[in-house]
Amino acid sequence: MPSNKRKVPEVNSSSQADIAFSLLIFFLVATTMNVDTGLARMLPPMPPEDQKQEDVKVKERNMLLVLVNGAGQIMAGAPGKQTLVDFRQLKDMTKEFVLNPMDDENLPEKKEKEIDLPGGGKWVYPVSEGVVSLQTTRDTGYQIYIMVQNELTRAFNEIRDEVSMKQFNKKFADLTDEENKALTTAVPLKISEAEPRQVGRK
């Protein structure tokens, strides 16, 4: 007797590629990806090989020491006189340090400098001798380090905007290349970063 075998119908797989592609698009659109956090910095050129490396000596009144420890606490002030400060105070504290508006003898010196302007003019501006020294410990978190760096940079940018409005009647970002050069000479970005320190161990 002939066997009565039923053929199993084949599954139509022609649309599987379309489904897989649709799912791929869905996950690409719906998935959030971490955005790298960082700061744009232009590194200074390498010094000549025959140049002697000498320590730069800075007067105590000309230095604002900012220390960020592993617990995320921020100590700021003159060397040996740092106090615990709130993160939100850092920008204004840095601006007052750099500008020294009341010519406080405990804050940075200012030296008048003659700066070339576009068109051949001259501009005499009291350039601050202040340097902000950012120090961290080896267990300082990267996120708090970036936040502190941003606040320090924001302080300098606000100073540049204020000086730019007085001198050129426009913001720092809108300056021409020649105006930008003059402004950065008047308000240089002086943020020094020391090598992380090891604390808590002998």
Side-chain angles (χ1 to χ4, degrees):
M1 293 180 63
S3 59
N4 186 15
K5 292 183 178 179
R6 292 185 178 180
K7 291 184 178 181
V8 178
E10 295 181 0
V11 177
N12 186 359
S13 60
S14 61
S15 61
Q16 286 184 351
D18 294 334
I19 295 172
F21 184 73
S22 298
L23 287 173
L24 177 62
I25 296 298
F26 171 78
F27 284 115
L28 285 174
V29 173
T31 304
T32 58
M33 298 185 181
N34 292 331
V35 178
D36 291 337
T37 304
L39 295 165
R41 287 285 183 272
M42 181 176 289
L43 299 177
M46 289 291 291
E49 293 182 1
D50 58 347
Q51 180 177 328
K52 294 181 180 179
Q53 298 296 320
E54 298 180 354
D55 293 334
V56 178
K57 295 182 180 179
V58 179
K59 291 182 181 179
E60 184 175 302
R61 65 176 288 188
N62 292 339
M63 177 176 288
L64 174 64
L65 184 59
V66 180
L67 173 64
V68 187
N69 64 21
Q73 295 174 319
I74 303 169
M75 303 284 290
K81 302 176 183 178
Q82 303 99 299
T83 57
L84 190 65
V85 299
D86 186 88
F87 172 78
R88 292 166 293 186
Q89 298 173 304
L90 195 55
K91 176 180 68 68
D92 291 336
M93 184 178 185
T94 303
K95 287 181 65 175
E96 183 179 1
F97 167 79
V98 174
L99 291 172
N100 188 9
M102 304 301 293
D103 291 325
D104 189 332
E105 62 181 11
N106 296 313
L107 293 178
E109 301 167 290
K110 290 180 281 187
K111 292 185 179 180
E112 290 193 346
K113 187 170 184 178
E114 191 176 79
I115 302 169
D116 294 329
L117 290 173
K122 297 292 183 180
W123 173 31
V124 178
Y125 183 80
V127 180
S128 174
E129 295 290 301
V131 177
V132 179
S133 177
L134 174 59
Q135 297 184 6
T136 60
T137 57
R138 295 194 181 278
D139 56 347
T140 299
Y142 182 70
Q143 189 64 35
I144 184 64
Y145 164 75
I146 290 295
M147 291 169 65
V148 170
Q149 261 280 13
N150 280 338
E151 286 300 292
L152 296 177
T153 304
R154 193 153 69 99
F156 279 91
N157 287 340
E158 285 191 8
I159 295 173
R160 286 177 169 179
D161 271 340
E162 292 167 6
V163 175
S164 180
M165 288 299 296
K166 290 179 181 178
Q167 180 63 32
F168 300 107
N169 200 30
K170 52 185 172 181
K171 290 190 174 182
F172 177 66
D174 299 327
L175 298 179
T176 65
D177 290 342
E178 291 182 343
E179 292 169 342
N180 182 292
K181 183 179 179 181
L183 204 288
T184 52
T185 301
V187 188
L189 181 64
K190 293 183 179 179
I191 301 177
S192 171
E193 295 184 46
E195 182 180 352
R197 300 187 303 173
Q198 186 75 40
V199 296
R201 295 181 184 178
K202 293 183 180 179

